Amino acid sequence: MKAQASSCRGTMGGGEYVCTLSEELQQRAKEEINEDPERRAQDIEHIRDWLKHQPHIKARTDDWTILRFLRGCKFSLERTKEKLDMYYTCKTLCPEWYKNRDPQDKKLRSILELGMFLPLPGYDHKGRSVILTRIGQFDPSTATMDYLMKASSLIFDVWMEEDEQASVTALVSVEDWADLQFSHVVLFTPTFAKKCMTLFQEGYPVRPKGLNYINTPAAFDTVFNIFKSFMKEKMKRRVHIHGSDLESLYKEVPKEVLPVEYGGTNGTIEEIKKYWLDRVDARRDWLLDDENYGVDESKRPGKAKTSADLFGIEGSFRKLTVD
């Protein structure tokens, strides 16, 4: 298996950011996300100072965390502030996904060991990270969607923390819907879809450049249309549905970055799964500490936000029937 991307560890523990990007990637950061190395420290400090003056937000204020959000917002200071607020608000109002994320918890471990959510080693032909999701691997009779999302968010957060290149080049996803049963389908409710899409589009400082769906069963359209109703137009344009045609997938995601099981040469599912089990174990203290960060709505200036404000679907049902 190819070596996983090196971590951006120069910034841990609140330390000063140390760039690990190649000259080519630094140039790309300038051109694609408006990063100015001469202004970077000033921008980070601006956001840090802003966070200190938000009575309701308790956030990580190390250089690297703030820089990830700046990059995810193409260095728009106002958009970065909005996204940081939304990120910590979502986390706080979604405790079923973001509390008790101990990778050594027996029940959570059993889901992690399924290898359902796997950032793949290395990068694709455009330098982007690729994340593989295998929905049909879990048994709805023994695990809830909340545990599934908790396990996925745990790996996703560690991946974001450790992969600096992805903060510049963005990501693409490959969602494998093989082995999907009716017992899975009924779990994808409009409420669940709205929560997922709000977190992914509004909360996380990531820039998805392609959503690829493979091995899609007959029920896929029903589920996908629910999610699609909550997608931004830009996201909809980046969707690729390949069905069982892997040759079609390879046009978007080269074989070289895919696991052996998908006709690729980038290690096996078992190897990649083991890598991520090791990484979340190594980051256990960081994950447990992460629960200390969030918002206190009683201290928010103006009107407090609720789960219904963020994840409610009132007014969305009419839209669900459009597509």
Side-chain angles (χ1 to χ4, degrees):
M1 187 177 72
K2 295 177 184 176
Q4 191 75 18
S6 60
S7 302
C8 175
R9 291 198 171 86
T11 63
M12 299 300 110
E16 187 175 336
Y17 168 71
V18 177
C19 185
T20 68
L21 300 174
S22 66
E23 289 187 12
E24 179 186 353
L25 285 172
Q26 290 180 57
Q27 184 61 34
R28 188 167 167 181
K30 286 182 183 180
E31 296 171 358
E32 294 183 16
I33 57 174
N34 307 312
E35 182 164 350
D36 181 351
E38 295 184 4
R39 203 187 65 232
R40 184 196 293 131
Q42 180 182 333
D43 288 345
I44 291 171
E45 191 55 40
H46 177 91
I47 298 298
R48 181 182 289 119
D49 183 67
W50 175 82
L51 283 168
K52 289 176 181 175
H53 290 87
Q54 304 310 304
H56 62 298
I57 305 176
K58 183 179 180 183
R60 292 185 181 276
T61 57
D62 59 276
D63 285 7
W64 174 225
T65 297
I66 293 173
L67 179 58
R68 284 207 312 274
F69 279 86
L70 282 165
R71 284 175 172 168
C73 298
K74 295 188 175 181
F75 281 81
S76 162
L77 297 178
E78 290 311 305
R79 182 73 186 105
T80 300
K81 293 170 186 177
E82 291 171 4
K83 180 146 288 204
L84 276 162
D85 193 330
M86 180 62 84
Y87 174 72
Y88 284 108
T89 302
C90 284
K91 281 186 61 180
T92 300
L93 296 180
C94 196
E96 61 273 24
W97 294 0
Y98 288 94
K99 287 292 184 183
N100 305 312
R101 292 195 304 172
D102 184 347
Q104 293 175 14
D105 172 80
K106 187 175 180 181
K107 190 169 183 179
L108 194 53
R109 191 74 174 190
S110 67
I111 298 174
L112 290 168
E113 288 176 346
L114 294 173
M116 294 184 54
F117 184 88
L118 299 171
L120 301 179
Y123 307 95
D124 73 0
H125 57 304
K126 295 183 179 179
R128 305 170 301 189
S129 287
V130 179
I131 295 180
L132 172 66
T133 306
R134 304 186 303 150
I135 303 292
Q137 295 300 305
F138 92 106
D139 181 352
S141 69
T142 60
T144 66
M145 290 299 279
D146 286 342
Y147 262 91
L148 170 62
M149 295 307 296
K150 184 181 292 192
S152 299
S153 72
L154 183 155
I155 292 176
F156 195 72
D157 286 359
V158 171
W159 165 76
M160 278 202 315
E161 178 72 9
E162 297 196 338
D163 191 338
E164 178 167 27
Q165 179 165 326
S167 70
V168 172
T169 59
L171 66 91
V172 296
S173 71
V174 177
E175 293 195 19
D176 183 356
W177 287 68
D179 303 317
L180 200 76
Q181 307 296 323
F182 180 73
S183 56
H184 292 104
V185 172
V186 295
L187 300 176
F188 293 101
T189 64
T191 301
F192 175 80
K194 175 68 180 296
K195 191 183 294 187
C196 285
M197 297 313 297
T198 299
L199 276 158
F200 192 52
Q201 295 180 122
E202 305 294 340
Y204 274 99
V206 294
R207 295 179 299 120
K209 293 296 186 180
L211 306 176
N212 298 274
Y213 299 90
I214 61 173
N215 298 321
T216 48
F220 171 79
D221 286 350
T222 301
V223 175
F224 179 71
N225 282 334
I226 295 174
F227 279 85
K228 186 179 177 183
S229 68
F230 299 114
M231 284 184 184
K232 294 180 178 181
E233 288 303 316
K234 183 166 62 174
M235 188 84 80
K236 291 178 184 177
R237 293 194 295 269
R238 294 171 179 174
V239 167
H240 307 279
I241 300 174
H242 306 282
S244 59
D245 185 357
L246 288 184
E247 291 300 324
S248 173
L249 172 66
Y250 299 152
K251 294 174 184 176
E252 299 294 331
V253 183
K255 281 185 179 183
E256 291 74 22
V257 78
L258 292 167
V260 172
E261 290 86 348
Y262 294 84
T265 55
N266 197 14
T268 66
I269 293 291
E270 189 63 28
E271 289 172 327
I272 300 167
K273 180 183 77 176
K274 184 180 184 305
Y275 173 87
W276 283 108
L277 287 172
D278 289 344
R279 290 314 310 149
V280 296
D281 283 343
R283 288 285 183 173
R284 180 172 181 254
D285 290 345
W286 181 86
L287 286 162
L288 296 177
D289 177 63
D290 200 54
E291 295 184 20
N292 293 316
Y293 302 96
V295 297
D296 182 342
E297 290 299 335
S298 70
K299 296 180 180 179
R300 180 187 291 275
K303 185 177 179 290
K305 292 186 178 180
T306 67
S307 293
D309 294 333
L310 262 63
F311 310 130
I313 57 173
E314 294 78 6
S316 296
F317 286 109
R318 185 191 64 78
K319 188 166 67 170
L320 288 175
T321 63
V322 172
D323 295 306

